[in-house]
Each structure stands twice: as C-alpha cells, then as structure tokens.
Amino acid sequence: MTMSLKLGSLPLLGGNVAKKCASLKASKHKVFDVDGAGDAEFPSFLPKEVERIKDPFARSLAKRIERLPVQIGYSKSCIMSSCVKPLIRQSNKTTPVVLLHCFDSSCLEWRCTLPLLEEAGLEAWAIDVLGWGFSDLETRPPCDMASKRDHLYQLWKSHIRRPMILVGPSLGASVAIDFTVRYPEAVEKLVLINPSVYAEGTGHLAKLPESVAYAGVSLLKSLPLRLYANMLAFNNIPFLTILDWTNVGRLHCLLPWWKDATVSFMLSGGYNVISQIKQVKHKTLIICGEKDQIVSYKLVVKLHSELSNAIIREVYDSGHLPHVDNPKWVAKLIANFAEDDAGVDAKSPFCLAQVTASRG
C-alpha cells in the first residue's frame, strides 16, 4: 500500500459513481448507441477479462478503444498507441479536449465523462499515457518522464494537430504540467483535477534492486490490494459493484508488458515537476473534490497560488476522482471552461465555489 501511494494514486473506480452513472443512463444511452458501440465487439488487443466487466459504460467505451501509430524519438519505428478518438472531428476553429488519466490507469477512467463531453459538442480524446493503458509495448522505449512526454507530443503532432485543452487528473496533472512547459504551443488551456504535483518522484523506490522492484509491482496489480483501496475510499457500495470497478481499473495490468513498463517508470524516478509549476502561463482550471482523501487541500491551494492564471472549482460530495464520482458536473465544468465561462449556475443542484482560502 505504501508503494502505491508513493507512486501515485490508484485508479479507484468505484463509490457513488455506481449510483450517479446509473442516473445518467437514460440521457447517455443515445451517445453510446449512436455509433453502434452497443453491438460492436471488443478490440482483439484487450485482455479477454474485459468480457467479464458488467459496467455498461466501461464496456461501451472499451469497444471504442483503438490503436494509432505514433513514431517515437528519431527512429522510424512506431508504437501502436491506444486511445479513444472523437466520434466526430470538429473544424479547425474548435479546440480539442485531450483527457489523460491517473497513475497506472487507462482511458477507461473517462467512461462516464467522455460521452457527456461529446454530448456538449466537444471533440474529446482519451489518451493512454505511455507505459499504461492498452498500447502495444511488446517493443517499447523506456517509460520514464521524458519518454512519456515525447510519446504524447508525437501523438498530438500526428493525430490531433491543434492546440488543445489538456486535462490531467492526479498524477496526470504532473504529466500535463511537464508537457505544457516543454511544448507550450501544443496547449491552449489546462484542466488539473485533484492534482498530484508536489511529489518528488518515486523517491527511495527508484533505488530498489530490480528484483525487489518487480516483486513490489506484482503486488501493485494484485486484486486484493486494489479491492482494499476501493473499499477504503468509498462507502455504502455493494461488494459486487466494488469488485467490478476494481476489475475495470486493473484491466490494463493484465497485458504482458505492464510489469516491465511500470518497473521502468519506478526505477527512472517518476515525476517531479515542482520546479516547473511557476513556468506554466496558460489559463488553468483546477477541479478539486470536496472529500478527496489523497491530495491535501492545502496543496491544491498552494498550486493555485503558484500558477499565474488559475481558478479553482470544487465538486461537492466527491472524492479523489470527481470525473468518475461525479461525471455530470466535471463535464459541465470542462465544457464551460472550454467556452471561457467558469461561472456558477445558481439554480443548479450542484454548487461550484471559487476557493480563495483554506477551509481551515
């Protein structure tokens, strides 16, 4: 458990989302069926265990995952990189929204929010960060910070090709900040969700003997550990629902190269973007969950103070992954931000608040 917290937050796919996603089923049904996803088959590169997942939103989004060729570095070799492409590509006058994910997670993290962004008329991409997700990494580069950054840039350069709104939750916020500082021309705005940006990499874990690192990573993907993390994070959810969300969150771990890629990341030192934060000049929306138990609220306020052009919006009754726990309102926030409207709808049952000081 200590190692998982050091590396980054586990993709805890559970909690009130079961109830909240269910309430969205009717309104989202047309989004999932519009391209025939309900009748489509799963991509052959996904682990066979995807068939056992019961969550209809995860199943539908999984059927949309595809692999795109992405050239790495100066070589001519390509990595077939997994992502969910937009149903409809918009004109060059619109800004694409590119969704990253948390540490050791996948694009399935966006199974409830991405369709809502598409309903709002946005061109939404869900991208798997190099080393995680469902890319073909049988032959892979190192999965350190520089390689992850280069891979994202090459994917953007080859397939997106327009300045984007880059969305990074948890450790994905570090990915987003590092990328934005290096390639500012590729980013129009940033959205950081419960951002984990003050960790100094993987710390002492980077100095472990390789054999010990592999043993630890094997524990990280274990069903009991991930199930336990879900049960700690969320209350009043039936066991079978938590088990299903856990299987969604660890599906990518069943690919044969996951262990090698994760050890590569851990021994490389991970992400340390503390010195880069003040270099970010882009307009930034920080979304924080009221009940986040992983990222300190004081660190969120600190980040707000260190960014030159940032606002905070809070999602009440939500934890570390509000885009999973409360997708309806995260989609609303992102859509409003894309339209330069970060205001509050006073008549909404969901309350947004600009945070100017610590809760105390």
Side-chain angles (χ1 to χ4, degrees):
M1 191 65 160
T2 302
M3 186 177 76
S4 68
L5 293 176
K6 185 69 176 179
L7 287 173
S9 59
L10 285 170
L12 306 176
L13 304 180
N16 291 333
V17 66
K19 180 167 54 180
K20 292 174 182 175
C21 276
S23 69
L24 296 173
K25 187 172 182 178
S27 65
K28 291 165 64 177
H29 181 74
K30 61 183 181 180
V31 177
F32 283 108
D33 285 351
V34 75
D35 65 337
D39 298 324
E41 295 186 1
F42 294 109
S44 59
F45 55 78
L46 293 183
K48 64 182 184 300
E49 287 81 359
V50 69
E51 298 281 358
R52 302 176 189 171
I53 291 173
K54 297 178 175 59
D55 172 20
F57 305 102
R59 291 177 66 89
S60 292
L61 196 63
K63 291 174 182 179
R64 289 180 56 185
I65 298 174
E66 56 186 288
R67 285 173 170 173
L68 303 177
V70 175
Q71 184 175 325
I72 293 296
Y74 297 102
S75 70
K76 294 183 179 180
S77 61
C78 288
I79 288 178
M80 296 304 296
S81 304
S82 50
C83 68
V84 175
K85 291 170 58 177
L87 290 176
I88 300 175
R89 296 292 298 271
Q90 304 290 349
S91 70
N92 289 334
K93 295 181 180 180
T94 63
T95 303
V97 177
V98 177
L99 309 167
L100 304 176
H101 55 71
C102 297
F103 165 77
D104 193 23
S105 186
S106 77
C107 57
L108 290 178
E109 197 175 290
W110 292 97
R111 63 189 182 273
C112 288
T113 302
L114 183 142
L116 294 176
L117 293 173
E118 292 180 329
E119 265 196 344
L122 297 175
E123 179 183 316
W125 298 70
I127 304 296
D128 281 338
V129 177
L130 178 70
W132 300 311
F134 304 101
S135 299
D136 183 354
L137 299 181
E138 186 171 358
T139 301
R140 60 167 179 79
C143 292
D144 56 11
M145 182 171 73
S147 295
K148 292 179 188 293
R149 179 199 315 131
D150 180 61
H151 173 263
L152 178 57
Y153 176 72
Q154 296 299 334
L155 191 152
W156 171 82
K157 183 179 179 182
S158 299
H159 301 285
I160 301 174
R161 299 188 292 271
R162 283 172 286 148
M164 57 187 167
I165 298 174
L166 187 58
V167 183
S170 193
L171 188 71
S174 289
V175 179
I177 286 174
D178 174 65
F179 181 88
T180 301
V181 170
R182 180 63 179 82
Y183 300 110
E185 73 281 1
V187 179
E188 181 176 302
K189 299 178 184 177
L190 277 175
V191 178
L192 308 178
I193 302 175
N194 285 329
S196 177
V197 297
Y198 288 105
E200 297 181 4
T202 55
H204 295 299
L205 296 176
K207 300 178 181 179
L208 290 175
E210 192 171 273
S211 59
V212 177
Y214 272 94
V217 165
S218 295
L219 178 64
L220 182 61
K221 83 167 185 178
S222 67
L223 181 61
L225 176 64
R226 291 186 178 241
L227 184 60
Y228 178 62
N230 276 276
M231 294 177 73
L232 283 179
F234 301 100
N235 298 314
N236 301 319
I237 296 298
F239 175 79
L240 291 180
T241 301
I242 294 178
L243 179 61
D244 191 45
W245 290 147
T246 303
N247 287 331
V248 173
R250 69 187 292 270
L251 185 64
H252 68 286
C253 302
L254 305 179
L255 291 172
W257 41 77
W258 171 83
K259 189 181 295 185
D260 292 336
T262 303
V263 168
S264 173
F265 172 74
M266 183 174 72
L267 296 183
S268 74
Y271 272 88
N272 184 345
V273 299
I274 297 173
S275 64
Q276 297 176 289
I277 292 172
K278 292 183 179 180
Q279 299 177 49
V280 175
K281 306 303 179 185
H282 296 66
K283 187 173 183 179
T284 303
L285 168 65
I286 303 172
I287 300 175
C288 60
E290 178 196 17
K291 297 180 179 179
D292 184 8
Q293 301 295 313
I294 295 174
V295 174
S296 165
Y297 182 77
K298 291 183 179 180
L299 290 181
V300 175
V301 174
K302 178 181 179 181
L303 177 63
H304 176 247
S305 70
E306 292 188 346
L307 292 171
S308 61
N309 191 9
I311 56 174
I312 297 179
R313 294 293 181 264
E314 185 172 55
V315 181
Y316 291 137
D317 192 29
S318 185
H320 186 59
L321 301 181
H323 55 298
V324 176
D325 200 32
N326 207 331
K328 184 176 181 180
W329 297 111
V330 170
K332 178 183 175 72
L333 279 171
I334 294 174
N336 286 348
F337 187 59
E339 297 176 359
D340 285 319
D341 176 14
V344 178
D345 180 0
K347 297 181 180 180
S348 171
F350 169 69
C351 182
L352 306 177
Q354 181 166 356
V355 182
T356 58
S358 171
R359 298 188 186 95

